[in-house]
Each structure stands twice: as structure tokens, then as C-alpha cells.
Amino acid sequence: YDSKLRINFELIANETILGEQWSYNGNIRSLTLYHQDGVNLLATHYCPQGNQPRLRMSADSTIAKINFEFQDATNLSSLDSNHQHSLSLALPSDKSAFIRSESYLSKEGEEQSYLVLERILN
């Protein structure tokens, strides 16, 4: 299997942060950091567009599916500007794959996407 898209996960900062780094053709495209903020779990997305949405884990999350919803963002001129607005991470019961879905919101509307991720051992 050969894909130009790679998503690497790594525990950093004394294992207090989970980093998710996207690369395409070897070029880093984006970074999302998952971290605690008191009792909340946040996902801060560093987007190639130059904005940094912060998403908070929502109350409907479960062990099998973690949902994040938009909290705020830095370097986002307006909520009409394109930005990540939601994120979900799901692990099916058979643990065969990892499903990552997200939505981006702008004045043109909402765009949703999802990826089914399979682990590749190097």
C-alpha cells in the first residue's frame, strides 16, 4: 500500500500532549495537538491556512467515539473565514481501523469529510 498522505501520532511534552502531524509527499501540512485544559480535553488545530481553531471535547463523547466542537480560534479574522469547526475520532469495536471525521465552516457553508485510517508499520 502506497499513499502520499501520512498521519503520524506521537506523545510529546512528557506524554501530556498527543501530536497528530499530517504530511503529503513528505511535506508537513498541518498539526493538531490534543491536551488537557483542567477537566476539559482540547484539540488545537494548526491549519495551513494560518488559523488555529481550538475544539473542546463534547459531553456526548464516549470511549469509542470522541467528539470535539468549536470553542474559539486564534488568527481567525471572522467566523465567516474557512476554519475547522468540528472533529470526531472513532475506534470501531473490532479495532480494524480508526475513523477521523471533521467539518470546516465558512461563509459558503459547511464542508464535511472523513478518513478511514489504517496503521502501517515501518
Side-chain angles (χ1 to χ4, degrees), residues 3-115:
S3 173
K4 295 178 182 184
L5 174 66
R6 293 280 190 256
I7 304 172
N8 294 311
F9 292 90
E10 179 182 9
L11 287 171
I12 53 179
N14 199 29
E15 298 187 354
T16 61
I17 297 172
L18 176 63
E20 174 189 297
Q21 181 176 291
W22 288 52
S23 61
Y24 187 77
N25 268 346
N27 298 313
I28 296 172
R29 302 294 300 156
S30 68
L31 174 70
T32 301
L33 300 177
Y34 302 90
H35 54 92
Q36 286 294 133
D37 181 25
V39 298
N40 297 307
L41 180 63
L42 296 183
T44 303
H45 177 66
Y46 297 85
C47 188
Q49 298 172 104
N51 57 48
Q52 301 83 33
R54 293 189 319 156
L55 304 123
R56 181 184 306 211
M57 186 175 78
S58 58
D60 63 350
S61 295
T62 65
I63 290 174
K65 185 175 183 187
I66 301 172
N67 299 311
F68 292 90
E69 53 195 23
F70 184 82
Q71 174 179 290
D72 59 16
T74 57
N75 205 37
L76 184 67
S77 58
S78 161
L79 289 178
D80 286 338
S81 298
N82 193 31
H83 65 279
Q84 187 181 45
H85 203 74
S86 70
L87 172 65
S88 293
L89 308 168
L91 183 62
S93 59
D94 66 0
K95 297 179 176 59
S96 62
F98 183 90
I99 301 169
R100 187 185 192 285
S101 57
E102 63 187 345
S103 71
Y104 278 77
L105 191 62
S106 70
K107 64 182 176 187
E108 283 82 32
E110 187 174 14
E111 180 182 329
Q112 297 189 5
S113 67
Y114 76 95
L115 292 171

